[in-house]
């Protein structure tokens, strides 16, 4: 009656030689079949995620060796925490006894918490904390490749007037519509984040090591954003015309931190 998956696998042939009822409920009659075929979707070779295959040949592991790892199953879509121990089976074979605990609900909760931590609750795009993570990665990437990255700091002009005259509910709708306009102006690999209030940041890769070409490409993106924002934003048959100021900075080294780059992009508006 245990809720865990339990199976015994020959570590040389990958044959499943025992499976408990929970395994059979989830995956059917799997005894006698290679584990990677019986337990995974369209898998014709040993799984790369299995720790047995990471450092040495499976048969080289000593009796008593243990492993622990997480894995999302491709057949049923559920997440498991696995613990495996290598033992000697009754016929002398080296096998691993593998126990999998279903942690799907836990992983779903973790994803919800991460979403709350790193997504702006109004616009559902990355927030300031998430942007810093993406920007830190971009700094390292562009520093290695020499290609220029770009930051576009977008500040909506006179947005406070909308909140003051039409109320915050209308202001929130304008922000959501503005977010969609910015997204529609970007290329597939560009990222937009909301810093808060009426401030947005676009993180882009210019895909060039030439500073002049990078500057031109970034200005082109900025102009597309401005052109899109200049289109009327209609709410309850009332048309709002939104303009914005955009500060631009390009970078291709790691001499400046993410916070310093954000400050420079902010300053570039003035």
């Amino acid at each position: 009656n245990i809720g865990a998956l339990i199976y015994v696998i020959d570590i040389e042939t990958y044959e499943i030689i025992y499976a408990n009822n929970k395994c059979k409920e989830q995956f059917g009659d799997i005894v006698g079949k290679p584990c990677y075929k019986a337990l995974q979707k369209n898998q014709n070779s040993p799984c790369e995620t299995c720790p047995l295959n990471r450092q040495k040949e499976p048969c080289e592991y000593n009796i008593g060796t243990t492993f622990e790892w997480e894995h999302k199953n491709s057949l049923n879509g559920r997440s498991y925490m696995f613990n495996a121990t290598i033992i000697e089976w009754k016929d002398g074979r080296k096998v691993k006894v593998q126990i999998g605990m279903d942690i799907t609900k836990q992983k779903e909760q973790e994803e919800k918490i991460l979403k709350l931590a790193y997504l702006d609750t109004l616009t559902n795009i990355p927030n300031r904390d998430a942007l810093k993570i993406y920007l830190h990665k971009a700094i390292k990437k562009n520093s290695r490749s020499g290609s220029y990255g770009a930051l576009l700091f977008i500040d909506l002009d006179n947005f406070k007037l909308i909140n003051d005259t039409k109320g915050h509910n209308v202001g929130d709708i304008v922000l959501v519509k503005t977010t969609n306009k910015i997204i529609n102006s970007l290329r597939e690999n560009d990222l937009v984040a909301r810093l808060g209030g009426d401030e947005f940041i676009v993180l882009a890769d210019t895909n060039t090591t030439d500073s002049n070409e990078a500057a031109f490409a970034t200005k082109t993106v900025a102009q597309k954003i401005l052109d899109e924002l200049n289109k009327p934003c209609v709410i309850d048959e009332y048309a709002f015309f939104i303009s914005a100021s955009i500060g631009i900075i390009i970078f291709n080294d790691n001499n400046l931190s993410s916070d310093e780059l954000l400050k420079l992009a902010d300053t570039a508006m003035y």
Side-chain angles (χ1 to χ4, degrees), residues 122 159-176 194 197 235:
L122 175 64
F159 179 76
K160 184 176 182 297
L161 187 60
I162 296 175
N163 279 337
D164 290 345
T165 58
K166 296 297 181 180
H168 286 275
N169 288 339
V170 172
D172 286 349
I173 296 172
V174 170
L175 286 173
V176 172
R194 184 182 177 213
I235 301 173

Side-chain angles (χ1 to χ4, degrees), residues 141-159:
K141 174 178 174 287
N142 292 109
S143 178
R144 288 194 303 268
S145 67
S147 177
Y148 280 91
L151 279 181
L152 296 85
F153 195 114
I154 304 168
D155 188 5
L156 304 185
D157 299 330
N158 302 314
F159 179 76

Side-chain angles (χ1 to χ4, degrees), residues 7-15 35-36 46-69 82-87 94-98:
Y7 32 78
V8 179
I9 299 170
D10 185 315
I11 66 172
E12 290 195 43
T13 66
Y14 298 96
E15 176 192 353
C35 59
Y36 51 85
C47 306
E48 293 181 0
T49 56
C50 178
L52 270 178
N53 302 312
R54 291 179 185 170
Q55 295 179 346
K56 58 179 77 173
E57 291 296 319
C59 60
E60 295 177 2
Y61 284 101
N62 295 325
I63 299 296
T65 303
T66 60
F67 303 96
E68 188 173 89
W69 72 101
F82 286 108
N83 184 283
T85 303
I86 294 178
I87 67 169
K94 271 187 185 179
V95 301
K96 64 171 178 173
V97 178
Q98 189 162 301

Side-chain angles (χ1 to χ4, degrees), residues 193-230:
R194 184 182 177 213
L195 296 185
D198 58 356
E199 294 179 337
F200 298 84
I201 283 280
V202 170
L203 173 61
D205 192 337
T206 66
N207 297 311
T208 179
T209 57
D210 184 284
S211 60
N212 291 325
E213 291 179 2
F216 179 79
T218 307
K219 288 178 181 177
T220 300
V221 173
Q223 190 58 54
K224 286 182 179 179
I225 293 171
L226 291 174
D227 290 344
E228 189 68 27
L229 291 181
N230 284 336

Side-chain angles (χ1 to χ4, degrees), residues 33-45 47 75:
K33 299 176 182 178
C35 59
Y36 51 85
K37 287 187 176 182
L39 302 174
Q40 300 297 328
K41 187 176 182 179
N42 300 325
Q43 184 76 28
N44 294 313
S45 59
C47 306
L75 281 175

